């Protein structure tokens, strides 16, 4: 597994194990099996784990994993484990947010994860029209200064607002953002800002909720309602890009490339993002270790210039998505924003 240094004395695996599929809303989770799966990922080299305060039960599971991993593998092995969590205050909280509230949530994450100092905290703010996001980022920096947070990071901020946070003196280490062959909004300006301000990019959605996979090749266009909110979200992206026929052309191209490398479409789609400028890692959502081998293959796959040209030729036919990073999803009255959940700590 490739590794990448993103800050002084801070190294991550270039494939990050996502934790959202372990949240309570995705079905019953066997805690012992989940911990065993995490051990398998860590032993295989995927030593960085992503979670959030809003992923019900996931921080506690990772806390259990860390305790178990220390007993089984020792302190040196545990020192390679990185846990990235998020601070996502509910939309309803934003108008009256205080530093005391922020610190309480951070302290809860520290307790759940069995960490005195959180490795990396990714800050999300639902609504720019509600003031307080710069002040909140500064409070996170103050908690970093107090030794409760190792690295302050962000998720789903657009270029303008990232610039404002950095301009306020908050040392941002990374930005987690939706970035895939289907969603290239970060290339408009965020990739350039990341290079300028020296923060890493972590990509989620690289397989578009599963759409960028062999399962959908040659399939008829699905009708609403879809199986889950994730598929609904990415189907809207497909619609905006140019529709199902163009999407099928992309899948066929990815299948030809996958054949040449003896792999699958999802692996090609994620590996393609690892080679994009500024991208330090891709986040793979894994409910268990069933796809561990293919997850490991992502970092090992090297696309040729011909492979990349074939992909680019299809994407050149796509319509650009509107707005900057996460702009569509922030419009609470729009098609993309209407399906979002904004008060997840309350289960809403």
């Amino acid at each position: 597994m490739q590794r990448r240094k993103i800050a002084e004395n801070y190294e991550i695996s270039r494939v990050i194990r996502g934790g959202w599929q372990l949240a309570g809303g995705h079905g019953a989770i066997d805690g012992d099996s989940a911990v065993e799966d995490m051990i398998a990922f860590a032993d295989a080299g995927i030593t960085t784990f992503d979670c959030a305060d809003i992923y019900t039960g996931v921080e506690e599971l990772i806390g259990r994993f860390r305790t178990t991993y220390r007993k089984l593998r020792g302190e040196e092995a545990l020192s390679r484990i990185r846990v990235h969590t998020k601070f996502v205050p509910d939309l309803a909280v934003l108008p009256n947010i205080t530093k005391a509230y922020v610190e309480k949530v951070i302290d809860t994450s520290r307790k759940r994860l069995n960490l005195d100092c959180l490795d990396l905290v990714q800050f999300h703010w639902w609504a720019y029209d509600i003031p307080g996001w710069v002040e909140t980022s500064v409070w996170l920096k103050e908690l970093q200064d107090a030794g409760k947070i190792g690295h302050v990071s962000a998720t789903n901020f657009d270029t303008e607002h990232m610039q404002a946070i950095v301009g306020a003196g908050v040392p941002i280490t990374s930005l987690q953002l939706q970035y895939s062959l289907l969603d290239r909004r970060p290339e408009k300006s965020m990739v350039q800002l990341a290079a300028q301000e020296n923060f890493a990019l972590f990509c989620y959605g690289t397989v578009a909720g599963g759409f960028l996979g062999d399962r959908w090749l040659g399939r008829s266009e699905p009708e609403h309602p879809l199986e889950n909110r994730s598929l609904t979200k990415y189907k809207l992206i497909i619609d905006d890009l140019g529709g199902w026929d163009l999407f099928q052309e992309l899948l066929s191209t990815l299948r030809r490339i996958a054949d040449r490398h003896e792999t699958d479409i999802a692996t090609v789609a994620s590996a393609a993002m690892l080679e994009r400028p500024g991208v330090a890692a891709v986040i793979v959502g894994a409910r268990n270790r069933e796809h561990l081998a293919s997850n490991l293959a992502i970092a090992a796959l090297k696309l040729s210039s011909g492979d990349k040209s074939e992909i680019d030729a299809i994407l050149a036919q796509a319509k650009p998505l509107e707005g900057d990073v996460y702009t569509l999803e922030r419009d609470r009255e729009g098609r993309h924003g209407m399906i979002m959940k904004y008060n997840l700590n309350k289960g809403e």
Side-chain angles (χ1 to χ4, degrees), residues 65-79:
F65 153 69
R66 292 187 68 260
T67 299
T68 304
Y69 204 66
R70 177 189 286 113
K71 293 177 181 176
L72 293 175
R73 304 291 186 262
E75 287 292 341
E76 184 177 351
L78 183 67
S79 70

Side-chain angles (χ1 to χ4, degrees), residues 280-329:
V282 296
I283 301 168
V284 296
R287 188 173 176 84
N288 52 48
R289 76 188 91 171
E290 178 182 351
H291 299 292
L292 176 55
S294 57
N295 294 157
L296 291 168
I298 293 170
L301 177 60
K302 297 300 178 187
L303 300 180
S304 69
S305 57
D307 295 333
K308 296 174 187 176
S309 294
E310 288 184 43
I311 295 172
D312 290 342
I314 297 298
L315 296 180
Q317 304 174 44
K319 301 174 185 176
L321 296 178
E322 293 181 14
D324 202 324
V325 172
Y326 218 68
T327 299
L328 291 169
E329 293 80 0

Side-chain angles (χ1 to χ4, degrees), residues 17-33:
R17 165 79 186 272
W20 69 273
Q21 290 190 352
L22 297 176
H26 294 275
I29 297 295
D30 180 271
D32 292 340
S33 296

Side-chain angles (χ1 to χ4, degrees), residues 41-182:
F41 272 78
D43 285 348
I46 297 178
T47 55
T48 307
F49 296 81
D50 180 80
C51 60
D53 57 345
I54 58 173
Y55 298 172
T56 305
V58 179
E59 287 183 325
E60 291 93 338
L61 279 175
I62 294 178
R64 283 181 57 188
F65 153 69
R66 292 187 68 260
T67 299
T68 304
Y69 204 66
R70 177 189 286 113
K71 293 177 181 176
L72 293 175
R73 304 291 186 262
E75 287 292 341
E76 184 177 351
L78 183 67
S79 70
R80 292 169 59 84
I81 303 298
R82 302 298 187 198
V83 180
H84 299 171
T85 192
K86 300 181 188 71
F87 170 62
V88 187
D90 284 351
L91 178 64
V93 168
L94 303 188
N96 301 303
I97 196 167
T98 63
K99 182 180 178 181
Y101 172 86
V102 176
E103 186 165 15
K104 179 181 178 182
V105 175
I106 295 300
D107 285 344
T108 298
S109 291
R110 291 167 59 227
K111 181 179 180 180
R112 290 170 174 170
L113 290 165
N114 293 326
L115 281 166
D116 291 332
C117 177
L118 297 175
D119 291 336
L120 184 145
V121 175
Q122 301 163 116
F123 168 43
H124 176 73
W125 189 267
W126 285 114
Y128 295 142
D129 58 334
I130 301 175
W133 46 274
V134 171
E135 291 84 353
T136 302
S137 68
V138 171
W139 292 333
L140 289 170
K141 179 184 181 298
E142 291 172 355
L143 292 174
Q144 179 186 37
D145 295 338
K148 294 188 174 185
I149 297 173
H151 297 276
V152 177
S153 295
T155 183
N156 293 330
F157 276 88
D158 63 20
T159 309
E160 176 187 351
H161 292 82
M162 278 293 286
Q163 284 178 313
I165 289 173
V166 172
V170 180
I172 295 295
T173 298
S174 63
L175 173 68
Q176 183 178 142
L177 75 178
Q178 185 172 296
Y179 190 13
S180 69
L181 294 177
L182 296 179

